[in-house]
Amino acid sequence: MRDHFEQLCFPFTKDLNLIDELWKEIETKYTEKSRHYYNLLHLRNMFAELEPSKNKISDFTAVSFSIFYHDIVYNATSKSNEEKSALKAKERLSELGLPQDTIEAVSDQILATKLHQTSMNEDTNYLLDTDLSILGKDFESYLAYTKMIRKEYSIYPDLLYKPGRKKVLKHFLELDTIFKTDYFKDKYEMQAKKNIAAEIDLL
């Protein structure tokens, strides 16, 4: 992951100390003890999911930076993680010297992960779909994911967690489609709906 981040930065700066500093911040944030799902493995899985669709993404650099920064600020009790992560991305990418339009694109993509609504921007839709790809995995993998999410929210007792979790899951089922792109829709939509319905029953 570090090599991937460095290669992403090199076209914009040759300041190795700056790149090292930014990577260490990412690594530190995504390896916090409170993180059980939103960690470096989540980022690695997102890149792996995106690889087959790489040629369909118009600005892969922007989407890649969005992946690295979309959960850099994460607190289970906060409702402004996406806004804070977007601000952090704008700050760091400005230091790297990215063009302003790319920085704005990254910020918009990170903010889009809050509600996961279909975007007019197809790159954003691919980012959203990779972020949710775990929902469409085999049920065993999905169950493992739900356990990690429960640990993320261990501060809340079942009395509060279960209704909140149900609300999130029902929101996904109420969407026209969970996945926005044809590629992810074909690959994961059917299984995702089965998994979500099964988790609601378990709750």
Side-chain angles (χ1 to χ4, degrees), residues 184-201:
F184 282 96
K185 214 179 291 179
D186 292 344
K187 189 175 183 182
Y188 289 134
E189 185 78 18
M190 194 178 298
Q191 185 63 41
K193 286 181 175 175
K194 287 180 184 175
N195 288 342
I196 291 171
E199 185 185 355
I200 291 172
D201 286 344

Side-chain angles (χ1 to χ4, degrees), residues 96-154:
L96 276 174
L98 266 72
Q100 194 58 38
D101 59 341
T102 305
I103 293 173
E104 291 300 330
V106 170
S107 174
D108 289 346
Q109 286 170 3
I110 292 172
L111 291 172
T113 65
K114 189 177 185 81
L115 296 176
H116 279 271
Q117 301 287 347
T118 301
S119 172
M120 297 290 288
N121 183 292
E122 194 68 351
D123 282 6
T124 301
N125 290 330
Y126 274 102
L127 174 74
L128 298 178
D129 282 358
T130 57
D131 194 27
L132 295 183
S133 57
I134 185 65
L135 300 181
K137 299 289 185 176
D138 62 273
F139 192 59
E140 188 178 343
S141 299
Y142 182 84
L143 274 182
Y145 147 77
T146 65
K147 287 173 184 173
M148 288 185 276
I149 292 294
R150 184 65 186 100
K151 285 181 182 177
E152 296 264 2
Y153 290 89
S154 58

Side-chain angles (χ1 to χ4, degrees), residues 26-73:
I26 289 169
E27 187 176 44
T28 299
K29 289 290 188 180
Y30 283 95
T31 55
E32 289 168 338
K33 284 184 180 179
S34 60
R35 301 219 186 197
H36 300 279
Y37 177 71
Y38 297 107
N39 51 30
L40 290 175
L41 181 59
H42 173 53
L43 302 190
R44 191 175 294 119
N45 288 339
M46 284 182 72
F47 278 113
E49 287 288 347
L50 209 55
E51 192 61 32
S53 309
K54 197 173 178 179
N55 63 335
K56 295 179 182 175
I57 295 169
S58 60
D59 190 345
F60 195 72
T61 295
V63 173
S64 295
F65 276 120
S66 293
I67 290 175
F68 277 115
Y69 281 97
H70 80 291
D71 283 327
I72 193 163
V73 177

